[in-house]
Amino acid sequence: MGQKRKDLGVRVASALLLLPLVVAVILWGGVPFRALVAVAAALVASEMYGIVGLRLRHPAAIAGLLGAALLAWLVGDLPATAPAVVVLLAAAPVVAFSTCTLVPPGGELSKAALSAAWVVVSISYAGLLGTLGALRALPEGLAYTLLALAMTWGNDTGAYFAGLFFGRHKLYPKVSPNKTWEGFFGGLATSILACIVFRFFLPLGWIDVLVLGGVAGVLGPMGDLSESLIKRAFGVKDSGKLIPGHGGLFDRIDALLFVAPWTLAYVRLFLG
């Protein structure tokens, strides 16, 4: 019990220290926010390399970190940067496979193709975070960005408590033993509830609430399960140790990586 209280204290202290900084940059928006998102994307990519065993000093990993950061930065200014995004995504496999072929990771040619594939995946995966920058740049971008965060973290909170008090039926035990269907539906409800709250600040109709919040309530757990699948496949508990008491950054924003692009797409297609 004492260790659990200590761990909880560390988690709370980390959140209290980091949250004001993150909120301040979100409120600021513009270049500082896009820069923060780009750095976060590079950190997520670095944690992915740590999970799969690709050393950060390898040329392919360095290229992947730069690629993830650049993609996240470019996506933050869509659609103006669309041609550059296409070029970057097309160049990623060429650079990754060429680099891993010339300098096999660990000196083993058998790992070259797998490592190159993970570099390509990491660029597009981590680069998805750039959709937050594009969301923030919209006319009502601050509210939409906060909505994406609220749907994501609301889902996580609702799923936790619903699973804690009512969880009986396992959702996907091979990948995430603690997740339950009861938790899933609890998280789904809180994602929709977040949309209901934001109707006071945004032009959201009831159809928007159900579709935007409902799909986010499904994509959030999918993002969580996707990261869990990667970690479980490589026998890793946390993606990193960046945030004391919370693990790595990838652990904290795995669901957001799926929810943010959906929010941006929905807003541009139906609310823009």
Side-chain angles (χ1 to χ4, degrees):
M1 181 64 72
Q3 183 61 41
K4 287 184 177 181
R5 288 182 178 178
K6 182 180 179 181
D7 292 342
L8 179 61
V10 172
R11 289 171 64 91
V12 171
S14 298
L16 291 176
L17 287 173
L18 292 174
L19 189 59
L21 173 62
V22 173
V23 170
V25 179
I26 292 174
L27 293 174
W28 195 345
V31 171
F33 183 62
R34 286 179 65 193
L36 176 66
V37 169
V39 170
L43 289 172
V44 169
S46 72
E47 291 178 358
M48 291 184 71
Y49 302 152
I51 293 173
V52 304
L54 178 62
R55 295 182 178 181
L56 293 182
R57 65 171 177 265
H58 190 278
I62 295 173
L65 296 178
L66 295 175
L70 180 58
L71 180 60
W73 175 268
L74 292 172
V75 169
D77 195 27
L78 286 175
T81 54
V85 169
V86 172
V87 170
L88 175 59
L89 291 175
V94 176
V95 173
F97 279 91
S98 298
T99 306
C100 287
T101 299
L102 294 173
V103 187
E108 300 178 24
L109 192 60
S110 61
K111 292 184 178 180
L114 184 60
S115 297
W118 276 112
V119 170
V120 175
V121 168
S122 71
I123 292 174
S124 58
Y125 200 151
L128 286 172
L129 197 60
T131 53
L132 273 181
L135 199 60
R136 181 64 181 87
L138 296 175
E140 295 178 296
L142 176 58
Y144 282 123
T145 302
L146 295 176
L147 173 59
L149 297 174
M151 289 191 297
T152 303
W153 293 328
N155 179 278
D156 187 55
T157 303
Y160 174 78
F161 284 106
L164 180 65
F165 290 109
F166 307 108
R168 296 292 184 274
H169 303 88
K170 298 297 183 181
L171 177 63
Y172 197 171
K174 286 186 177 180
V175 172
S176 186
N178 295 324
K179 289 190 181 301
T180 63
W181 280 105
E182 291 81 2
F184 170 80
F185 286 112
L188 178 63
T190 49
S191 289
I192 294 174
L193 179 60
C195 280
I196 293 175
V197 172
F198 272 80
R199 289 192 75 231
F200 292 100
F201 312 101
L202 291 167
L204 299 175
W206 286 109
I207 296 297
D208 300 318
V209 166
L210 293 175
V211 177
L212 181 57
V215 174
V218 174
L219 289 177
M222 286 299 298
D224 195 341
L225 287 171
S226 296
E227 194 221 3
S228 295
L229 174 63
I230 297 171
K231 292 191 297 184
R232 188 163 291 273
F234 288 90
V236 175
K237 183 179 183 295
D238 295 320
S239 67
K241 299 180 180 179
L242 180 65
I243 310 174
H246 291 268
L249 182 62
F250 194 13
D251 293 322
R252 294 298 92 204
I253 65 171
D254 50 6
L256 184 61
L257 287 168
F258 281 35
V259 174
W262 159 246
T263 306
L264 177 64
Y266 189 89
V267 171
R268 281 197 172 275
L269 289 173
F270 303 108
L271 301 175

